[in-house]
Amino acid sequence: MTSAEPVPPAVTEPDHGLDTALRQERAHHDTCRAALAAMVDGADLQVVIGEDVSASGADAEVLGHGLRSRAKALRELPEGPLFFGRIDLVQGGAHHIGRLRISEHPAAPPLVVDWRAPVSRAFYQASARAPQGVTVRRRFGWAPGSRGDSADLTGLEDEHLRGGGPAAGPGGLLLRELERPRVGPMRDIAATIQPEQDDLVRGGLADSVCVQGAPGTGKTAVGLHRAAYLLYTHPQRVQRGGLLILGPNRTFLSYIAEVLPSLGETGVRQSTLADEIARHPVTATDTARAAALKHDPRMAEVLRRAVYGRVTAGHAEDLAVPDGTYRWRIAGDRLTDLVGAVLAEEPPYEVGRERVRSRIVRRLLTQAERRGGPPPAAWLRRIERARAVSACVEALWPRLRPEEVLAGLLADAQALAAAADGLLERAEQEALLWARPPRSPKSARWSAADLLLLDEIAGLLEHPQGYGHVVVDEAQDLSPMECRAIARRVPFGSLTVLGDLAQGITAWAARSWRAQLTHLGKPDATVVPLTTGFRVPGAVLALANRLLARLDTDVPAARSLRHDGALRVRRAPDGGLTAAVLAAVRDALTHEGSIGVITPDTETARIGEALTAAGLAPPNGRVTVIGATLVKGLEYDHVVAVEPATIAESEQRGLNRLYVVLTRAVSRLDVVHERPELPWAAGATGEGPPG
């Protein structure tokens, strides 16, 4: 739950007005707490009563599911403050804003208004220049880690909006909340949403949007809050179509797992693309070249040719179907024309197969009607299941399994050459071929990229079940083939695409959002940049911005609202890198919050052993030692970045990796280096901020 430190009073004498307001707000919170407890008890009672309701089986099941879901969601609400803001309106009255609507009776005015309700939008959008009917916006300061005790309400801050004065900067409570140390999993930002973020959160269900978010601009939180908003605003449509949150890895998913439940939304599927497409365990590893080729968009056409190449598009054998003493016949050229017509319609493979069967049966039915009138239904069922018809369909349009198709390509040079003709060079084909083909597809060992190709083939055979809305985070690192896998799962729904081109670290990372959105099946999606940072301090962001000119991406530089934080660059003497890292960690431990020691991948084990030996990185402690490759999506209050020049020289987009490393710090950044060169300023050495 969101919390913030109280703002110290400007004068030493007691502020009786503040004390009175705090007493009133604490009393209101007590009333809200009692009302919420009654809501939970009422929801449980409705489940019991609903079990005795007389209704049809389907209606009873729907009613019971709805009642149980409501009761479960209320019981699972995390403990914490029930409201974080209030707006006083020109026409009189006030609304407290929180994560859940709370009322003493369903028909009674709410004690707390859900942050997603239309009336709450003014809390985020109102300003002195455009007050939107709001006279006063109040923010509340709760003690850090509050579980919702009213005594934890320790401060409040009023912003008077009437009068049309200049726009004010963020107040003390808001800044303290933005700057609060990040300990544990990701928190929601419902209390601190800014106007540009609110516009994205409240976009329509049918709108696909891409958020190009610089580090610390809250793009991930915007995506999650947009999911919560859509579930609140379009509950039936979203639940009917399904909503999916796709993260880059399971570590990232565990980091964000508590955000939606804290907003009152449970049961939302949060997954990785690897989990969504998993048909087999990953037991093989590709070479770098083979992996890059399997992620290449040209493979989509290679696989399509391989699948539809199994169809008999040339001369077909005549069909003869025994029927008692008579034989129904269809000439081979007629069957060839029939198959060609179905191919021209470009249906999914399995749909095409059934169309071939149905059209064969229809031709036979026409012959039967001409010979003796409409036959009985039993005759039609017998002909549909006739062995000769099934054999003909199998010969013309054989049943396929993805594993058979892919194994047939990767184990057979001639088959791959035929499918890849004009698409892949001979050397590329050789890189794809298995060195030791398995005896059969059942014994094949599949790589992670193979599973992506199997999913592509499965999508050619039969469209997968789609979602109504999908939120895709870290989308800049998706390959074209990964984008296609996502597009297949949202053919008629919408996407919220989140990412930062500057943070692309995979070999196939996107350099253009328009191209990436085309692969995702939403070429016309709106691209919106977020450039105001709330998480990364200004000095850290300014250092990271100096790398942008060297990255092969066109993204705007970010600015930070935060003027706190610290940045230090430490030059270690020759042979003294480990000692300098230990000193930096000891300094970091004197401050509150988490500490991430981010190293070149080749140095992670050594640095970790040294910290453990020094007693600075005990299990489950505040210090985490992690390689630069794995730090994507994570954040720490204090980052110790080790040897940036080595990270920048990584084989794969090293400068982008360094950009990611530097922007993991949300309070303080120490750069420790032994090598004299620094990637952002050639020749910069010594301690202190880079010049």
Side-chain angles (χ1 to χ4, degrees), residues 518-579:
T518 299
H519 291 309
L520 285 165
K522 308 295 180 186
D524 298 326
T526 302
V527 180
V528 180
L530 288 180
T531 57
T532 302
F534 309 101
R535 187 195 73 214
V536 183
V540 175
L541 203 54
L543 174 62
N545 282 342
R546 295 174 66 174
L547 288 175
L548 285 179
R550 298 186 60 189
L551 304 181
D552 186 20
T553 52
D554 183 16
V555 298
R559 65 181 185 87
S560 178
L561 280 182
R562 296 179 52 182
H563 303 292
D564 65 324
L567 167 64
R568 180 164 55 177
V569 179
R570 304 182 182 211
R571 172 74 187 278
D574 291 345
L577 181 64
T578 301

Side-chain angles (χ1 to χ4, degrees), residues 61 84 205 241 246 320 357 366 406 423 447 542 605 621 643 678:
E61 183 176 348
F84 51 77
L205 175 58
L246 275 182
R357 178 186 295 275
T366 300
L406 187 56
L423 294 171
S447 69
E643 206 59 271
L678 289 171

Side-chain angles (χ1 to χ4, degrees), residues 105-366:
H105 185 274
L111 299 170
V112 177
V113 176
D114 193 298
W115 67 275
R116 297 165 289 187
V119 70
S120 300
R121 186 165 196 182
F123 177 78
Y124 301 107
Q125 295 284 350
S127 66
R129 292 178 177 174
Q132 300 188 19
V134 177
T135 59
V136 179
R137 173 168 47 213
R138 171 171 291 180
R139 298 184 186 274
F140 297 100
W142 294 87
S146 172
R147 302 179 66 179
D149 294 331
S150 297
D152 293 339
L153 177 54
T154 55
L156 56 85
E157 183 178 74
D158 287 344
E159 183 181 359
H160 297 270
L161 302 180
R162 302 297 290 178
L173 282 177
L174 178 58
L175 284 176
R176 283 172 172 79
E177 173 59 23
L178 293 172
E179 297 168 1
R180 185 159 62 88
R182 268 53 172 172
V183 180
M186 181 179 179
R187 299 173 290 118
D188 68 78
I189 62 165
T192 60
I193 291 174
Q194 299 300 293
E196 63 271 22
Q197 295 174 320
D198 185 63
D199 288 335
L200 292 168
V201 166
R202 296 176 189 266
L205 175 58
D207 299 333
S208 289
V209 62
C210 173
V211 181
Q212 160 57 45
T217 54
K219 56 183 175 294
T220 297
V222 164
L224 294 174
H225 285 65
R226 174 160 165 75
Y229 173 79
L230 293 177
L231 285 164
Y232 173 87
T233 310
H234 310 282
Q236 294 182 344
R237 291 173 60 190
V238 174
Q239 290 172 8
R240 182 170 60 249
L243 192 147
L244 173 65
I245 308 292
L246 275 182
N249 51 59
R250 292 181 182 177
T251 300
F252 180 82
L253 291 178
S254 66
Y255 177 62
I256 68 171
E258 295 184 14
V259 174
L260 285 174
S262 72
L263 297 171
E265 298 297 346
T266 58
V268 176
R269 180 169 176 77
Q270 300 188 34
S271 183
T272 67
L273 182 58
D275 289 335
E276 291 295 299
I277 67 174
R279 297 173 61 91
H280 303 279
V282 175
T283 56
T285 303
D286 287 312
T287 65
R289 189 176 190 191
L293 286 169
K294 291 176 181 180
H295 283 271
D296 192 293
R298 293 176 294 170
M299 286 301 299
E301 178 60 19
V302 172
L303 297 177
R304 192 196 67 79
R305 290 180 182 179
V307 167
Y308 287 94
R310 303 292 186 95
V311 175
T312 302
H315 180 70
E317 298 292 332
D318 293 350
L319 170 64
V321 182
D323 185 13
T325 60
Y326 191 79
R327 287 180 179 270
W328 306 104
R329 298 180 182 277
I330 302 178
D333 58 346
R334 295 286 185 109
L335 293 172
T336 299
D337 292 343
L338 183 150
V339 170
V342 173
L343 280 173
E345 296 166 5
E346 299 184 350
Y349 188 88
E350 288 297 327
V351 173
R353 176 182 166 89
E354 291 309 309
R355 287 182 186 176
V356 169
R357 178 186 295 275
S358 66
R359 292 179 190 184
I360 288 174
V361 172
R362 188 186 308 164
R363 285 180 180 270
L364 297 175
L365 176 60
T366 300

Side-chain angles (χ1 to χ4, degrees), residues 288-597:
R289 189 176 190 191
L293 286 169
K294 291 176 181 180
H295 283 271
D296 192 293
R298 293 176 294 170
M299 286 301 299
E301 178 60 19
V302 172
L303 297 177
R304 192 196 67 79
R305 290 180 182 179
V307 167
Y308 287 94
R310 303 292 186 95
V311 175
T312 302
H315 180 70
E317 298 292 332
D318 293 350
L319 170 64
V321 182
D323 185 13
T325 60
Y326 191 79
R327 287 180 179 270
W328 306 104
R329 298 180 182 277
I330 302 178
D333 58 346
R334 295 286 185 109
L335 293 172
T336 299
D337 292 343
L338 183 150
V339 170
V342 173
L343 280 173
E345 296 166 5
E346 299 184 350
Y349 188 88
E350 288 297 327
V351 173
R353 176 182 166 89
E354 291 309 309
R355 287 182 186 176
V356 169
R357 178 186 295 275
S358 66
R359 292 179 190 184
I360 288 174
V361 172
R362 188 186 308 164
R363 285 180 180 270
L364 297 175
L365 176 60
T366 300
Q367 292 181 30
E369 289 174 340
R370 289 174 179 172
R371 188 168 187 265
W379 178 91
L380 186 61
R381 289 194 296 270
R382 187 174 72 252
I383 292 297
E384 287 175 337
R385 296 193 299 267
R387 185 173 300 174
V389 171
S390 295
C392 179
V393 172
E394 186 65 22
L396 295 172
W397 202 292
R399 187 178 298 278
L400 300 178
R401 293 182 62 250
E403 291 78 4
E404 295 171 352
V405 176
L406 187 56
L409 275 181
L410 301 183
D412 187 335
Q414 290 185 343
L416 180 57
D421 183 38
L423 294 171
L424 301 179
E425 300 293 336
R426 177 64 62 86
E428 292 175 320
Q429 296 175 29
E430 292 174 352
L432 287 171
L433 288 170
W434 280 334
R436 295 182 179 178
R439 293 183 178 180
S440 72
K442 291 184 178 180
S443 61
R445 298 172 65 243
W446 305 105
S447 69
D450 288 335
L451 299 186
L452 196 59
L453 301 186
L454 289 173
D455 189 77
E456 178 79 22
I457 297 171
L460 290 168
L461 300 182
E462 191 171 9
H463 291 320
Q465 181 178 357
Y467 289 91
H469 190 82
V470 177
V471 178
V472 187
D473 208 347
E474 301 293 352
Q476 76 282 344
D477 278 330
L478 296 172
S479 72
M481 293 297 284
E482 288 174 320
C483 289
R484 289 177 60 87
I486 295 170
R488 283 192 293 275
R489 286 160 173 80
V490 59
F492 305 111
S494 54
L495 287 175
T496 296
V497 180
L498 312 168
D500 179 10
L501 295 177
Q503 296 186 56
I505 59 174
T506 60
W508 39 77
R511 288 175 168 80
S512 161
W513 279 124
R514 194 53 59 197
Q516 195 78 333
L517 290 168
T518 299
H519 291 309
L520 285 165
K522 308 295 180 186
D524 298 326
T526 302
V527 180
V528 180
L530 288 180
T531 57
T532 302
F534 309 101
R535 187 195 73 214
V536 183
V540 175
L541 203 54
L543 174 62
N545 282 342
R546 295 174 66 174
L547 288 175
L548 285 179
R550 298 186 60 189
L551 304 181
D552 186 20
T553 52
D554 183 16
V555 298
R559 65 181 185 87
S560 178
L561 280 182
R562 296 179 52 182
H563 303 292
D564 65 324
L567 167 64
R568 180 164 55 177
V569 179
R570 304 182 182 211
R571 172 74 187 278
D574 291 345
L577 181 64
T578 301
V581 172
L582 296 179
V585 172
R586 289 191 181 96
D587 288 348
L589 286 168
T590 64
H591 299 277
E592 182 184 4
S594 57
I595 302 167
V597 181

